[in-house]
Amino acid sequence: MFNVFCISGTVASKPECIVQPNGIKQCVVKVAVKRPYANAQGIYESDLLFLETWRGLADTASMVVPGTCINATGRIAARMSKDGSSERPQYAFVVERMDIVS
């Protein structure tokens, strides 16, 4: 079995970067990915996806600007989140490779 994603899209906003208490840098990049089909009005809508980058890749991701086209590959991580009395899975796209398309 494989746990792999491949996303090609446009950076939608400035990446949000933080340094974790253990000193590891994390950067979240919001990417707009166009859908391959038009809606009822003939418009191609986009989905907004949040990509997590860590350590050295977070340094690179922190420098991308909105409008930059990127290709990203990585894995999907599932984390359990408490919501009142129940637990629900939250999914994250963890980037292992990111290329800036020029």
Side-chain angles (χ1 to χ4, degrees):
M1 290 188 209
F2 294 102
N3 177 1
V4 178
F5 74 83
C6 179
I7 293 174
S8 182
T10 305
V11 176
S13 63
K14 184 178 180 212
E16 297 176 17
C17 302
I18 60 169
V19 176
Q20 299 290 334
N22 58 3
I24 297 174
K25 188 171 186 178
Q26 176 192 15
C27 212
V28 177
V29 182
K30 184 171 26 172
V31 178
V33 180
K34 264 193 178 171
R35 294 180 180 172
Y37 55 87
N39 64 15
Q41 291 77 34
I43 298 170
Y44 287 86
E45 296 176 341
S46 294
D47 292 307
L48 291 176
L49 303 175
F50 295 87
L51 308 180
E52 285 185 4
T53 59
W54 294 87
R55 295 184 171 85
L57 192 53
D59 291 331
T60 303
S62 68
M63 293 185 280
V64 297
V65 295
T68 303
C69 292
I70 64 167
N71 293 332
T73 58
R75 64 184 174 82
I76 300 171
R79 301 175 183 130
M80 296 307 286
S81 173
K82 273 207 172 268
D83 185 19
S85 62
S86 64
E87 284 192 33
R88 302 182 66 173
Q90 283 189 323
Y91 299 99
F93 293 96
V94 181
V95 177
E96 295 172 352
R97 179 184 171 122
M98 184 176 72
D99 298 313
I100 297 172
V101 180
S102 55

